[in-house]
Amino acid sequence: MTAPDSLFLMSRPATFVPPPGARTYSLRTARGEFAVVDAPVAAGVEPRGVALLLPGFTGSKEDFNPLHAPLAQRGYRTVAVDGRGQHESDGPETDESAYAQEELARDVLAQVEAVGQPVHLLGHSLGGQISRAAVLTDHTPFLSLTLMASGPAHISESQQQRVKLLQDALAVMSMATVWDAMQAMEEPEETETGGLDGGPDGRDDLRRRWLNTKPAQLIATGRQLCIEPDRVTELAAVPLRFHVLSGARDDTWPLGLLDEMAARLTAWRTVIEGAEHSPNTDRPLATAAAIADFWDDHRA
């Protein structure tokens, strides 16, 4: 059969090494344990808040590693989490019902409760849609919602075709075989923060993350991305402040859709020049500055 398209690795951490001072541990919640990177406020900086960061499809908590240090310098503790079945958070191998959007949303609410205080919520791509579902379930634990490269409804037709190809592959191939097929179609990439994908250590980390991720999670959340309805009107009725942030180019949700969504939400709108679907790794310093500016304005 045809090999999956290389763009399935939608999220590419600049590094799998967390910044100095950050802790990696299992966050115990009422709905199980979730692997996190927890970065404190920088020494000597006045604390200004806490944020929970949710990664996207095929992603992990490491996607946010480049953001922790600049956000810590602005006074924000950041907790990036692997969702159920993602990388270092456990989940069923084959039970797709465990990854229904409402289940993942309840996980987020349990994570906030375990963190122990109201948080700014940020979701990248799929993480944005899970974040939206959590806020619509119960908005009271959240101070604000940032949707990063995450649109109003289902993904574009071209990306739906890629997700369908991945689902077909996972139905008949192991995770290891799918990985090998993807690598055969890939070219090494460089990033603003170090070009992890060009070295063997980075490639090994990406492979380990892929193999750790549960196939049922990829199948279930991939389906969600392809059928997600437009819930912007419902979200706009929630008494929170919203931020729609994206790169200057994105083939998962066209920028026009993101602009329109921001207008419907009366949201802050930020476009990061020089970034595409993952501004957190494409342009982390500019992205962190825009996020912190929004959170600071919320305090003001």
Side-chain angles (χ1 to χ4, degrees):
M1 66 176 294
T2 304
D5 190 280
S6 62
L7 292 180
F8 288 138
L9 287 176
M10 293 181 183
S11 300
R12 298 176 175 276
T15 175
F16 274 80
V17 179
R23 294 190 300 137
T24 58
Y25 62 93
S26 291
L27 179 69
R28 295 183 178 181
T29 80
R31 290 176 62 85
E33 296 188 3
F34 298 89
V36 301
V37 174
D38 188 338
V41 174
V45 176
E46 176 190 0
R48 301 178 72 84
V50 181
L52 186 68
L53 314 178
L54 307 186
F57 188 59
T58 77
S60 67
K61 61 189 179 301
E62 286 78 16
D63 296 338
F64 299 108
N65 278 348
L67 300 184
H68 290 301
L71 290 173
Q73 290 292 337
R74 294 286 296 267
Y76 292 97
R77 172 191 170 198
T78 46
V79 182
V81 60
D82 285 338
R84 184 190 305 202
Q86 279 183 322
H87 192 21
E88 294 178 324
S89 289
D90 199 14
E93 290 276 347
T94 59
D95 181 10
E96 295 176 27
S97 67
Y99 303 105
Q101 189 183 77
E102 57 267 25
E103 295 297 324
L104 301 180
R106 292 189 185 101
D107 287 348
V108 175
L109 293 171
Q111 292 156 12
V112 177
E113 183 179 15
V115 168
Q117 56 188 296
V119 302
H120 295 286
L121 183 61
L122 182 150
H124 173 229
S125 193
L126 170 70
Q129 298 200 331
I130 295 169
S131 296
R132 178 171 74 178
V135 165
L136 290 174
T137 301
D138 181 6
H139 72 272
T140 57
F142 304 109
L143 300 172
S144 71
L145 172 60
T146 295
L147 300 171
M148 183 168 70
S150 186
H154 57 73
I155 56 178
S156 66
E157 182 66 29
S158 63
Q159 290 290 349
Q160 288 184 48
Q161 293 172 2
R162 295 183 174 111
V163 170
K164 178 61 164 60
L165 191 59
L166 176 60
Q167 291 174 326
D168 290 345
L170 290 173
V172 297
M173 300 164 67
S174 69
M175 289 290 284
T177 302
V178 172
W179 170 264
D180 291 340
M182 290 190 296
Q183 297 317 294
M185 302 174 67
E186 293 248 334
E187 294 291 337
E189 291 192 2
E190 294 293 323
T191 69
E192 175 187 292
T193 53
L196 170 144
D197 292 329
D201 293 340
R203 185 64 63 180
D204 289 346
D205 285 333
L206 287 171
R207 182 178 187 275
R208 180 172 60 87
R209 177 177 75 171
W210 174 262
L211 295 179
N212 281 346
T213 300
K214 304 299 188 245
Q217 192 270 352
L218 291 171
I219 293 170
T221 57
R223 184 182 304 115
Q224 292 168 29
L225 286 169
C226 293
I227 66 173
E228 179 74 6
D230 187 322
R231 304 184 71 185
V232 176
T233 299
E234 189 180 355
L235 184 63
V238 174
L240 286 181
R241 297 192 66 198
F242 304 108
H243 185 192
V244 176
L245 184 149
S246 72
R249 181 184 173 201
D250 196 325
D251 65 353
T252 306
W253 286 278
L255 260 63
L257 282 179
L258 300 178
D259 293 340
E260 179 185 9
M261 180 176 71
R264 293 169 63 191
L265 292 172
T266 318
W268 271 49
R269 177 72 175 107
T270 302
V271 176
I272 304 297
E273 294 299 328
E276 297 188 15
H277 187 62
S278 296
N280 45 312
T281 56
D282 293 341
R283 295 287 311 283
L285 296 181
T287 299
I291 293 167
D293 286 347
F294 169 67
W295 291 342
D296 284 353
D297 188 75
H298 176 276
R299 284 170 51 92

